[in-house]
Amino acid sequence: MSEQPDKAGYGLRWNNWNLLLLVPLVMLITPLINFDGPHLFGMPFFYWSQFAFVIVGVLCVWIVYVKTKDEPVSHKPDRLSVDDLDEGDAK
């Protein structure tokens, strides 16, 4: 008789590192950064902050990837074999 594994390990699992992915979304709230000054290399704050948020966003995604890449999403074996996935096979 097969044992039922714990269902808590199946599916997507929460990780606190995922909260870091919310940081790049702050740049979508434009009233927070819609200012003329301070200028950097002649560019208003709004423009150079957008460039900075691109770098910050890439760093956030990289950190989350590095911290969570070794955690399995699911321990369940695949339900379909490769032969079942072939489109040319008639059942």
Side-chain angles (χ1 to χ4, degrees):
M1 194 177 254
S2 66
E3 294 180 23
Q4 284 287 347
D6 184 17
K7 291 194 181 236
Y10 292 162
L12 296 176
R13 295 191 326 182
W14 176 254
N15 191 321
N16 288 336
W17 286 106
N18 293 346
L19 289 174
L20 203 56
L21 296 175
L22 295 175
V23 173
L25 296 178
V26 173
M27 72 182 261
L28 298 176
I29 308 171
T30 54
L32 294 176
I33 57 174
N34 193 11
F35 300 108
D36 185 42
H39 291 249
L40 182 68
F41 303 116
M43 289 190 298
F45 176 77
F46 181 79
Y47 293 112
W48 67 260
S49 66
Q50 295 288 313
F51 287 122
F53 266 118
V54 169
I55 295 168
V56 169
V58 168
L59 285 174
C60 287
V61 170
W62 178 76
I63 290 170
V64 171
Y65 170 73
V66 168
K67 294 294 185 180
T68 61
K69 69 180 178 181
D70 295 330
E71 295 181 14
V73 174
S74 175
H75 296 289
K76 266 196 309 195
D78 289 336
R79 288 185 241 162
L80 296 174
S81 69
V82 174
D83 296 328
D84 293 335
L85 296 174
D86 287 339
E87 293 177 347
D89 290 345
K91 290 185 178 185

Coordinates of all heavy atoms in Angstrom, one line a residue:
M1 N 0.8 -1.2 0.0 CA 0.0 0.0 0.0 C 0.9 1.2 0.0 O 1.9 1.3 0.7 CB -0.9 0.0 1.2 CG -2.0 0.9 1.2 SD -3.1 0.8 2.6 CE -4.5 0.0 1.8
S2 N 0.6 2.2 -0.8 CA 1.4 3.4 -0.9 C 1.0 4.4 0.2 O -0.1 4.6 0.5 CB 1.3 4.1 -2.3 OG 0.0 4.5 -2.4
E3 N 2.1 5.1 0.7 CA 1.8 6.1 1.7 C 1.5 7.4 1.1 O 2.0 7.8 0.1 CB 3.1 6.3 2.6 CG 3.4 5.0 3.4 CD 4.6 5.3 4.2 OE1 4.9 6.5 4.5 OE2 5.3 4.3 4.6
Q4 N 0.6 8.2 1.7 CA 0.2 9.5 1.2 C 1.2 10.5 1.8 O 1.3 10.6 3.0 CB -1.2 9.9 1.7 CG -2.3 9.2 0.9 CD -2.4 9.8 -0.5 OE1 -1.9 10.9 -0.8 NE2 -3.2 9.1 -1.3
P5 N 2.0 11.1 0.9 CA 2.9 12.1 1.4 C 2.2 13.4 1.9 O 1.0 13.6 1.6 CB 3.8 12.5 0.2 CG 3.1 12.0 -1.0 CD 2.1 11.0 -0.5
D6 N 2.9 14.2 2.7 CA 2.3 15.4 3.3 C 2.0 16.3 2.1 O 2.8 16.7 1.3 CB 3.3 16.0 4.2 CG 2.8 17.2 4.9 OD1 1.5 17.4 4.9 OD2 3.6 18.0 5.4
K7 N 0.7 16.8 2.1 CA 0.3 17.7 1.0 C 0.9 19.1 1.1 O 0.7 19.9 0.2 CB -1.2 17.8 1.0 CG -1.8 16.5 0.5 CD -3.3 16.7 0.2 CE -3.9 15.4 -0.2 NZ -4.5 15.4 -1.5
A8 N 1.5 19.5 2.3 CA 2.0 20.8 2.5 C 3.2 21.1 1.5 O 3.5 22.2 1.2 CB 2.5 21.0 3.9
G9 N 3.9 20.0 1.0 CA 5.0 20.2 0.1 C 4.6 20.4 -1.4 O 5.5 20.6 -2.2
Y10 N 3.3 20.3 -1.7 CA 2.9 20.3 -3.1 C 2.5 21.7 -3.5 O 2.1 22.5 -2.7 CB 1.7 19.4 -3.3 CG 2.0 18.0 -3.1 CD1 1.1 17.0 -2.9 CD2 3.3 17.5 -3.2 CE1 1.3 15.7 -2.8 CE2 3.7 16.2 -3.1 CZ 2.6 15.3 -2.9 OH 2.9 13.9 -2.8
G11 N 2.7 22.0 -4.8 CA 2.3 23.3 -5.3 C 3.3 24.4 -5.0 O 4.4 24.1 -4.6
L12 N 2.8 25.6 -5.3 CA 3.7 26.7 -5.0 C 3.8 27.0 -3.5 O 2.9 26.8 -2.8 CB 3.1 28.0 -5.6 CG 3.0 28.0 -7.2 CD1 2.3 29.2 -7.7 CD2 4.3 27.8 -7.8
R13 N 5.0 27.3 -3.1 CA 5.3 27.5 -1.7 C 5.7 29.0 -1.5 O 6.4 29.6 -2.3 CB 6.4 26.6 -1.2 CG 6.0 25.2 -1.3 CD 6.8 24.2 -0.6 NE 8.3 24.6 -0.6 CZ 9.2 23.9 -0.1 NH1 8.9 22.8 0.5 NH2 10.5 24.3 -0.2
W14 N 5.2 29.5 -0.4 CA 5.5 30.9 -0.1 C 6.9 31.0 0.5 O 7.4 30.2 1.2 CB 4.5 31.4 1.0 CG 4.9 32.8 1.4 CD1 5.4 33.2 2.6 CD2 4.7 34.0 0.7 NE1 5.6 34.5 2.6 CE2 5.2 35.1 1.4 CE3 4.3 34.3 -0.6 CZ2 5.2 36.4 1.0 CZ3 4.3 35.6 -1.0 CH2 4.7 36.6 -0.2
N15 N 7.6 32.1 0.1 CA 8.9 32.4 0.6 C 8.9 34.0 0.8 O 8.5 34.7 0.0 CB 9.9 32.0 -0.5 CG 11.3 32.1 0.1 OD1 11.7 33.0 0.9 ND2 12.1 31.1 -0.2
N16 N 9.5 34.4 1.9 CA 9.5 35.8 2.3 C 10.4 36.6 1.3 O 10.2 37.8 1.2 CB 10.0 36.0 3.7 CG 9.0 35.6 4.7 OD1 7.8 35.6 4.4 ND2 9.4 35.2 5.9
W17 N 11.3 35.9 0.6 CA 12.1 36.6 -0.4 C 11.3 37.2 -1.5 O 11.6 38.1 -2.2 CB 13.2 35.7 -0.9 CG 14.3 35.5 0.1 CD1 14.5 34.4 0.8 CD2 15.3 36.5 0.4 NE1 15.6 34.6 1.6 CE2 16.1 35.8 1.4 CE3 15.6 37.8 0.1 CZ2 17.2 36.5 2.0 CZ3 16.7 38.4 0.7 CH2 17.5 37.8 1.6
N18 N 10.1 36.6 -1.8 CA 9.2 37.0 -2.8 C 8.7 38.4 -2.6 O 8.3 39.1 -3.6 CB 8.1 36.0 -3.0 CG 8.5 34.7 -3.6 OD1 9.7 34.5 -4.0 ND2 7.7 33.7 -3.5
L19 N 8.7 38.8 -1.4 CA 8.2 40.2 -1.1 C 9.1 41.3 -1.8 O 8.7 42.4 -2.0 CB 8.1 40.4 0.4 CG 7.0 39.7 1.1 CD1 7.1 39.9 2.6 CD2 5.7 40.2 0.6
L20 N 10.4 40.9 -2.0 CA 11.3 41.8 -2.6 C 10.9 42.1 -4.0 O 11.3 43.1 -4.6 CB 12.7 41.2 -2.6 CG 13.9 42.1 -2.7 CD1 13.9 43.1 -1.6 CD2 15.2 41.3 -2.6
L21 N 10.1 41.3 -4.6 CA 9.6 41.5 -6.0 C 8.6 42.7 -6.1 O 8.3 43.1 -7.2 CB 9.0 40.2 -6.6 CG 10.0 39.1 -6.7 CD1 9.2 37.8 -7.2 CD2 11.1 39.4 -7.7
L22 N 8.1 43.1 -5.0 CA 7.2 44.3 -4.9 C 7.9 45.6 -5.1 O 7.3 46.6 -5.5 CB 6.4 44.3 -3.7 CG 5.4 43.1 -3.5 CD1 4.8 43.1 -2.1 CD2 4.4 43.1 -4.6
V23 N 9.2 45.6 -4.8 CA 10.0 46.9 -4.8 C 10.0 47.5 -6.2 O 9.7 48.7 -6.4 CB 11.4 46.6 -4.3 CG1 12.3 47.8 -4.5 CG2 11.4 46.2 -2.8
P24 N 10.2 46.7 -7.3 CA 10.2 47.4 -8.6 C 8.8 47.9 -9.0 O 8.7 48.8 -9.9 CB 10.6 46.3 -9.6 CG 11.3 45.3 -8.8 CD 10.7 45.4 -7.4
L25 N 7.7 47.5 -8.4 CA 6.4 48.0 -8.7 C 6.2 49.4 -8.2 O 5.3 50.1 -8.6 CB 5.3 47.0 -8.2 CG 5.3 45.6 -8.8 CD1 4.3 44.8 -8.1 CD2 5.1 45.7 -10.3
V26 N 7.0 49.9 -7.3 CA 6.9 51.2 -6.8 C 7.1 52.2 -7.9 O 6.4 53.3 -7.8 CB 7.9 51.4 -5.6 CG1 7.9 52.9 -5.2 CG2 7.6 50.5 -4.5
M27 N 7.9 51.9 -8.9 CA 8.1 52.9 -10.0 C 6.8 53.1 -10.8 O 6.7 54.1 -11.5 CB 9.2 52.4 -10.9 CG 8.9 51.3 -11.8 SD 10.4 50.8 -12.7 CE 10.0 51.6 -14.3
L28 N 5.8 52.3 -10.6 CA 4.6 52.5 -11.3 C 3.7 53.5 -10.7 O 2.7 54.0 -11.3 CB 3.8 51.1 -11.5 CG 4.6 50.0 -12.3 CD1 3.8 48.7 -12.2 CD2 4.8 50.5 -13.7
I29 N 4.0 53.8 -9.4 CA 3.2 54.9 -8.7 C 3.9 56.2 -9.0 O 4.7 56.7 -8.2 CB 3.2 54.6 -7.2 CG1 2.7 53.2 -7.0 CG2 2.3 55.6 -6.5 CD1 2.8 52.7 -5.5
T30 N 3.6 56.8 -10.2 CA 4.4 57.9 -10.6 C 4.2 59.2 -9.8 O 5.1 60.0 -9.8 CB 4.0 58.2 -12.1 OG1 2.6 58.4 -12.2 CG2 4.5 57.2 -13.0
P31 N 3.1 59.4 -9.1 CA 3.1 60.6 -8.2 C 4.2 60.6 -7.1 O 4.5 61.7 -6.7 CB 1.7 60.6 -7.6 CG 0.9 59.8 -8.5 CD 1.8 58.8 -9.1
L32 N 4.7 59.5 -6.8 CA 5.8 59.5 -5.8 C 7.1 60.0 -6.3 O 7.9 60.5 -5.6 CB 6.0 58.0 -5.3 CG 4.9 57.4 -4.5 CD1 5.2 55.9 -4.2 CD2 4.6 58.2 -3.2
I33 N 7.3 59.9 -7.7 CA 8.6 60.3 -8.2 C 8.4 61.4 -9.3 O 9.4 61.7 -10.0 CB 9.3 59.1 -8.9 CG1 8.4 58.4 -9.9 CG2 9.7 58.1 -7.8 CD1 9.1 57.3 -10.7
N34 N 7.2 62.1 -9.4 CA 7.0 63.1 -10.4 C 7.5 64.4 -9.9 O 6.7 65.3 -9.6 CB 5.5 63.1 -10.8 CG 5.3 63.9 -12.0 OD1 6.2 64.2 -12.8 ND2 4.0 64.2 -12.3
F35 N 8.8 64.6 -9.9 CA 9.4 65.9 -9.5 C 10.4 66.3 -10.5 O 11.0 65.5 -11.3 CB 10.1 65.7 -8.1 CG 9.2 65.3 -7.0 CD1 9.3 64.0 -6.5 CD2 8.2 66.1 -6.5 CE1 8.4 63.6 -5.5 CE2 7.4 65.7 -5.5 CZ 7.5 64.5 -5.0
D36 N 10.7 67.6 -10.6 CA 11.7 68.2 -11.5 C 13.1 68.1 -10.9 O 14.0 67.7 -11.5 CB 11.3 69.6 -11.8 CG 12.3 70.2 -12.8 OD1 12.6 69.5 -13.8 OD2 12.7 71.3 -12.7
G37 N 13.2 68.3 -9.6 CA 14.5 68.3 -9.0 C 14.6 67.3 -8.0 O 13.6 66.7 -7.5
P38 N 15.7 66.8 -7.6 CA 17.1 67.3 -8.0 C 17.5 66.7 -9.3 O 17.1 65.7 -9.7 CB 18.0 66.7 -6.9 CG 17.3 65.5 -6.4 CD 15.8 65.8 -6.5
H39 N 18.3 67.5 -10.0 CA 18.8 67.1 -11.3 C 20.1 66.3 -11.2 O 20.9 66.5 -10.3 CB 19.1 68.3 -12.2 CG 17.8 69.0 -12.6 ND1 17.4 69.1 -13.9 CD2 16.9 69.7 -11.9 CE1 16.3 69.8 -14.0 NE2 16.0 70.2 -12.7
L40 N 20.2 65.3 -12.1 CA 21.5 64.5 -12.1 C 21.9 64.5 -13.6 O 21.2 64.0 -14.5 CB 21.2 63.1 -11.6 CG 22.4 62.2 -11.6 CD1 23.4 62.6 -10.5 CD2 22.0 60.7 -11.3
F41 N 23.1 65.0 -13.9 CA 23.6 65.2 -15.2 C 22.6 65.9 -16.1 O 22.5 65.5 -17.3 CB 24.0 63.8 -15.8 CG 25.0 63.0 -15.0 CD1 24.6 61.8 -14.4 CD2 26.2 63.5 -14.8 CE1 25.5 61.1 -13.7 CE2 27.2 62.8 -14.0 CZ 26.8 61.6 -13.5
G42 N 21.9 66.9 -15.6 CA 21.0 67.6 -16.4 C 19.6 67.0 -16.6 O 18.7 67.6 -17.2
M43 N 19.4 65.8 -16.1 CA 18.1 65.1 -16.2 C 17.3 65.4 -14.9 O 17.8 65.3 -13.8 CB 18.3 63.6 -16.3 CG 18.9 63.2 -17.7 SD 18.8 61.4 -17.9 CE 19.8 60.8 -16.6
P44 N 16.0 65.6 -15.1 CA 15.1 65.8 -14.0 C 15.0 64.5 -13.2 O 15.2 63.4 -13.7 CB 13.7 66.2 -14.6 CG 14.0 66.6 -16.0 CD 15.3 65.9 -16.4
F45 N 14.6 64.6 -11.9 CA 14.5 63.5 -11.0 C 13.6 62.4 -11.6 O 14.0 61.2 -11.5 CB 13.9 63.9 -9.7 CG 13.7 62.8 -8.7 CD1 14.7 62.3 -8.0 CD2 12.4 62.3 -8.5 CE1 14.6 61.2 -7.1 CE2 12.2 61.2 -7.6 CZ 13.3 60.7 -6.9
F46 N 12.5 62.7 -12.2 CA 11.6 61.7 -12.8 C 12.4 60.7 -13.7 O 12.2 59.5 -13.7 CB 10.4 62.3 -13.5 CG 9.5 61.3 -14.0 CD1 8.5 60.7 -13.2 CD2 9.5 61.0 -15.4 CE1 7.6 59.8 -13.7 CE2 8.6 60.1 -15.9 CZ 7.7 59.4 -15.1
Y47 N 13.2 61.3 -14.6 CA 13.8 60.4 -15.6 C 15.0 59.6 -15.0 O 15.1 58.4 -15.3 CB 14.4 61.3 -16.8 CG 13.2 61.9 -17.6 CD1 13.0 63.3 -17.6 CD2 12.4 61.1 -18.3 CE1 12.0 63.8 -18.3 CE2 11.3 61.6 -19.0 CZ 11.1 63.0 -19.0 OH 10.1 63.5 -19.7
W48 N 15.8 60.2 -14.2 CA 17.0 59.5 -13.7 C 16.5 58.5 -12.7 O 17.1 57.4 -12.5 CB 18.1 60.3 -13.3 CG 18.0 61.2 -12.1 CD1 17.7 62.5 -12.1 CD2 18.1 60.8 -10.7 NE1 17.6 63.0 -10.8 CE2 17.9 62.0 -9.9 CE3 18.3 59.6 -10.0 CZ2 17.9 62.0 -8.5 CZ3 18.4 59.6 -8.6 CH2 18.2 60.8 -7.9
S49 N 15.4 58.7 -12.0 CA 14.9 57.7 -11.0 C 14.3 56.5 -11.8 O 14.4 55.4 -11.2 CB 13.8 58.4 -10.1 OG 12.7 58.7 -10.9
Q50 N 13.8 56.7 -12.9 CA 13.3 55.6 -13.7 C 14.5 54.7 -14.1 O 14.4 53.4 -14.0 CB 12.6 56.0 -15.0 CG 11.3 56.8 -14.8 CD 10.2 55.9 -14.3 OE1 10.0 54.8 -14.9 NE2 9.6 56.3 -13.2
F51 N 15.6 55.3 -14.5 CA 16.8 54.5 -14.8 C 17.3 53.7 -13.5 O 17.7 52.6 -13.6 CB 17.9 55.4 -15.3 CG 17.7 55.8 -16.7 CD1 17.7 57.2 -17.0 CD2 17.6 54.9 -17.8 CE1 17.5 57.6 -18.3 CE2 17.4 55.4 -19.1 CZ 17.3 56.7 -19.3
A52 N 17.3 54.4 -12.4 CA 17.7 53.8 -11.2 C 16.8 52.6 -10.8 O 17.3 51.6 -10.3 CB 17.7 54.8 -10.0
F53 N 15.5 52.8 -11.0 CA 14.6 51.7 -10.7 C 14.8 50.5 -11.6 O 14.5 49.4 -11.1 CB 13.1 52.2 -10.8 CG 12.6 52.7 -9.5 CD1 12.2 54.0 -9.3 CD2 12.4 51.8 -8.4 CE1 11.7 54.4 -8.1 CE2 11.9 52.2 -7.2 CZ 11.5 53.5 -7.0
V54 N 15.2 50.7 -12.8 CA 15.5 49.5 -13.6 C 16.7 48.7 -13.0 O 16.6 47.5 -12.9 CB 15.9 50.0 -15.1 CG1 16.5 48.8 -15.8 CG2 14.7 50.6 -15.8
I55 N 17.7 49.4 -12.5 CA 18.8 48.7 -11.9 C 18.4 48.0 -10.6 O 18.7 46.9 -10.3 CB 20.0 49.7 -11.6 CG1 20.5 50.2 -13.0 CG2 21.1 49.0 -10.8 CD1 21.5 51.3 -12.9
V56 N 17.6 48.8 -9.8 CA 17.1 48.2 -8.5 C 16.2 47.0 -8.8 O 16.2 46.0 -8.1 CB 16.3 49.3 -7.7 CG1 15.5 48.7 -6.6 CG2 17.3 50.4 -7.2
G57 N 15.3 47.1 -9.8 CA 14.4 46.0 -10.2 C 15.2 44.7 -10.6 O 14.9 43.6 -10.2
V58 N 16.2 44.9 -11.4 CA 17.1 43.8 -11.8 C 17.7 43.2 -10.6 O 17.8 41.9 -10.4 CB 18.1 44.2 -12.9 CG1 19.1 43.1 -13.1 CG2 17.4 44.6 -14.2
L59 N 18.3 44.0 -9.7 CA 18.9 43.5 -8.5 C 17.9 42.7 -7.6 O 18.3 41.6 -7.0 CB 19.5 44.6 -7.7 CG 20.8 45.2 -8.3 CD1 21.3 46.4 -7.5 CD2 21.9 44.1 -8.3
C60 N 16.7 43.2 -7.5 CA 15.7 42.5 -6.6 C 15.3 41.2 -7.2 O 15.3 40.2 -6.5 CB 14.4 43.4 -6.5 SG 14.6 44.8 -5.5
V61 N 15.1 41.1 -8.5 CA 14.8 39.8 -9.2 C 16.0 38.8 -9.0 O 15.8 37.7 -8.7 CB 14.4 40.0 -10.6 CG1 14.3 38.7 -11.4 CG2 13.1 40.8 -10.7
W62 N 17.2 39.3 -9.2 CA 18.4 38.5 -9.1 C 18.5 37.9 -7.6 O 18.8 36.7 -7.5 CB 19.6 39.2 -9.5 CG 20.9 38.4 -9.3 CD1 21.3 37.4 -10.1 CD2 21.8 38.5 -8.2 NE1 22.5 36.9 -9.6 CE2 22.8 37.6 -8.5 CE3 21.9 39.4 -7.1 CZ2 23.9 37.4 -7.6 CZ3 23.0 39.2 -6.3 CH2 24.0 38.2 -6.6
I63 N 18.3 38.8 -6.6 CA 18.4 38.3 -5.2 C 17.4 37.3 -5.0 O 17.7 36.2 -4.3 CB 18.3 39.5 -4.3 CG1 19.5 40.4 -4.4 CG2 18.0 39.0 -2.8 CD1 19.4 41.7 -3.6
V64 N 16.1 37.5 -5.4 CA 15.1 36.5 -5.2 C 15.4 35.2 -5.9 O 15.2 34.1 -5.3 CB 13.7 37.0 -5.6 CG1 12.6 35.9 -5.6 CG2 13.3 38.2 -4.8
Y65 N 15.9 35.3 -7.1 CA 16.3 34.0 -7.8 C 17.4 33.3 -7.1 O 17.3 32.1 -6.9 CB 16.8 34.4 -9.2 CG 17.5 33.2 -9.9 CD1 16.7 32.2 -10.4 CD2 18.8 33.2 -10.1 CE1 17.3 31.1 -11.0 CE2 19.4 32.1 -10.7 CZ 18.6 31.1 -11.2 OH 19.2 30.0 -11.8
V66 N 18.4 34.0 -6.6 CA 19.6 33.3 -5.9 C 19.1 32.7 -4.6 O 19.5 31.6 -4.3 CB 20.7 34.3 -5.7 CG1 21.7 33.7 -4.7 CG2 21.4 34.7 -7.0
K67 N 18.2 33.4 -3.9 CA 17.8 32.9 -2.6 C 16.8 31.7 -2.7 O 16.6 31.0 -1.7 CB 17.2 34.0 -1.8 CG 18.2 35.1 -1.4 CD 19.3 34.5 -0.5 CE 20.2 35.5 0.0 NZ 21.2 35.0 0.9
T68 N 16.1 31.6 -3.8 CA 15.0 30.6 -3.9 C 15.2 29.6 -5.0 O 14.4 28.7 -5.1 CB 13.7 31.3 -4.2 OG1 13.7 32.0 -5.4 CG2 13.3 32.3 -3.1
K69 N 16.4 29.6 -5.7 CA 16.5 28.7 -6.8 C 16.7 27.2 -6.4 O 16.3 26.3 -7.1 CB 17.7 29.1 -7.7 CG 19.1 28.9 -7.0 CD 20.2 29.3 -7.9 CE 21.5 29.1 -7.2 NZ 22.6 29.6 -8.1
D70 N 17.1 26.9 -5.2 CA 17.3 25.6 -4.7 C 16.1 25.0 -4.0 O 16.1 23.8 -3.7 CB 18.5 25.5 -3.8 CG 19.8 25.9 -4.5 OD1 19.9 25.6 -5.7 OD2 20.7 26.4 -3.8
E71 N 15.1 25.8 -3.9 CA 13.9 25.2 -3.2 C 12.9 24.6 -4.2 O 12.5 25.3 -5.2 CB 13.1 26.4 -2.5 CG 13.9 26.9 -1.3 CD 13.2 28.0 -0.6 OE1 12.0 28.1 -0.8 OE2 13.8 28.7 0.2
P72 N 12.6 23.4 -4.1 CA 11.7 22.8 -5.1 C 10.3 23.3 -4.9 O 9.8 23.7 -3.8 CB 11.7 21.3 -4.7 CG 12.1 21.3 -3.2 CD 13.0 22.5 -3.0
V73 N 9.6 23.4 -6.1 CA 8.2 23.9 -6.1 C 7.3 22.8 -5.7 O 6.4 22.9 -5.0 CB 7.9 24.5 -7.5 CG1 6.4 24.8 -7.5 CG2 8.7 25.7 -7.8
S74 N 7.6 21.6 -6.2 CA 6.8 20.4 -5.9 C 7.7 19.2 -5.8 O 8.6 19.0 -6.5 CB 5.8 20.3 -7.0 OG 5.0 19.1 -6.8
H75 N 7.3 18.3 -4.9 CA 7.9 17.0 -4.8 C 7.2 15.9 -5.6 O 7.6 14.8 -5.6 CB 8.1 16.6 -3.4 CG 9.0 17.6 -2.6 ND1 10.3 17.6 -2.8 CD2 8.7 18.5 -1.7 CE1 10.8 18.6 -2.0 NE2 9.9 19.1 -1.3
K76 N 6.0 16.3 -6.1 CA 5.2 15.3 -6.8 C 5.8 14.9 -8.1 O 6.3 15.7 -8.8 CB 3.8 15.9 -7.1 CG 2.8 15.6 -6.1 CD 1.4 15.9 -6.6 CE 1.1 17.2 -7.2 NZ -0.3 17.5 -7.3
P77 N 5.7 13.6 -8.4 CA 6.2 13.2 -9.8 C 5.2 13.6 -10.8 O 4.0 13.9 -10.5 CB 6.2 11.7 -9.7 CG 5.2 11.3 -8.6 CD 5.3 12.5 -7.6
D78 N 5.6 13.7 -12.0 CA 4.7 14.1 -13.1 C 3.6 13.1 -13.3 O 3.8 11.9 -13.2 CB 5.5 14.3 -14.4 CG 6.4 15.5 -14.4 OD1 6.2 16.4 -13.7 OD2 7.4 15.4 -15.2
R79 N 2.4 13.6 -13.6 CA 1.3 12.7 -13.8 C 1.3 12.1 -15.2 O 0.7 11.1 -15.4 CB 0.0 13.5 -13.6 CG -0.2 13.8 -12.1 CD -1.6 14.4 -11.9 NE -1.3 15.7 -11.3 CZ -2.2 16.7 -11.3 NH1 -3.4 16.5 -11.9 NH2 -1.9 17.8 -10.8
L80 N 1.9 12.8 -16.2 CA 1.9 12.3 -17.5 C 3.3 11.9 -17.9 O 4.3 12.6 -17.6 CB 1.4 13.4 -18.5 CG -0.1 13.8 -18.3 CD1 -0.4 15.0 -19.2 CD2 -1.0 12.7 -18.6
S81 N 3.4 10.9 -18.7 CA 4.7 10.5 -19.2 C 4.9 11.2 -20.5 O 4.0 11.9 -21.1 CB 4.7 9.0 -19.5 OG 3.9 8.6 -20.6
V82 N 6.1 11.1 -21.0 CA 6.4 11.8 -22.3 C 5.6 11.3 -23.4 O 5.1 12.0 -24.3 CB 7.9 11.6 -22.6 CG1 8.3 12.2 -24.0 CG2 8.8 12.3 -21.6
D83 N 5.3 10.0 -23.4 CA 4.5 9.3 -24.5 C 3.0 9.9 -24.4 O 2.4 10.0 -25.5 CB 4.4 7.8 -24.3 CG 5.8 7.2 -24.5 OD1 6.6 7.8 -25.3 OD2 6.1 6.2 -23.9
D84 N 2.5 10.2 -23.3 CA 1.2 10.8 -23.2 C 1.1 12.2 -23.7 O 0.0 12.7 -24.1 CB 0.7 10.7 -21.7 CG 0.5 9.3 -21.2 OD1 0.2 8.4 -22.0 OD2 0.5 9.1 -20.0
L85 N 2.2 12.9 -23.7 CA 2.2 14.3 -24.1 C 2.4 14.4 -25.6 O 2.2 15.5 -26.2 CB 3.4 15.0 -23.4 CG 3.2 15.2 -21.9 CD1 4.4 15.8 -21.3 CD2 2.0 16.0 -21.6
D86 N 2.8 13.3 -26.3 CA 2.9 13.4 -27.8 C 1.6 13.7 -28.4 O 0.6 13.0 -28.2 CB 3.5 12.1 -28.3 CG 5.0 11.9 -28.0 OD1 5.6 13.0 -27.7 OD2 5.5 10.8 -28.0
E87 N 1.6 14.6 -29.4 CA 0.4 15.0 -30.0 C 0.0 14.0 -31.1 O -1.1 13.9 -31.5 CB 0.5 16.4 -30.7 CG 0.6 17.5 -29.7 CD 0.9 18.8 -30.3 OE1 1.1 18.9 -31.5 OE2 0.7 19.8 -29.6
G88 N 1.0 13.3 -31.7 CA 0.7 12.4 -32.8 C 0.1 11.1 -32.4 O -0.4 10.3 -33.2
D89 N 0.1 10.8 -31.1 CA -0.4 9.5 -30.7 C -1.9 9.5 -30.6 O -2.5 10.4 -30.0 CB 0.2 9.1 -29.3 CG 1.6 8.7 -29.4 OD1 2.1 8.5 -30.6 OD2 2.3 8.6 -28.4
A90 N -2.6 8.5 -31.1 CA -4.0 8.4 -31.0 C -4.3 7.4 -29.9 O -3.7 6.4 -29.8 CB -4.7 7.9 -32.3
K91 N -5.3 7.8 -29.1 CA -5.6 6.9 -28.0 C -6.8 6.0 -28.3 O -7.6 6.2 -29.0 CB -6.0 7.7 -26.7 CG -4.8 8.4 -26.2 CD -5.1 9.2 -25.0 CE -3.9 9.8 -24.4 NZ -4.1 10.4 -23.1

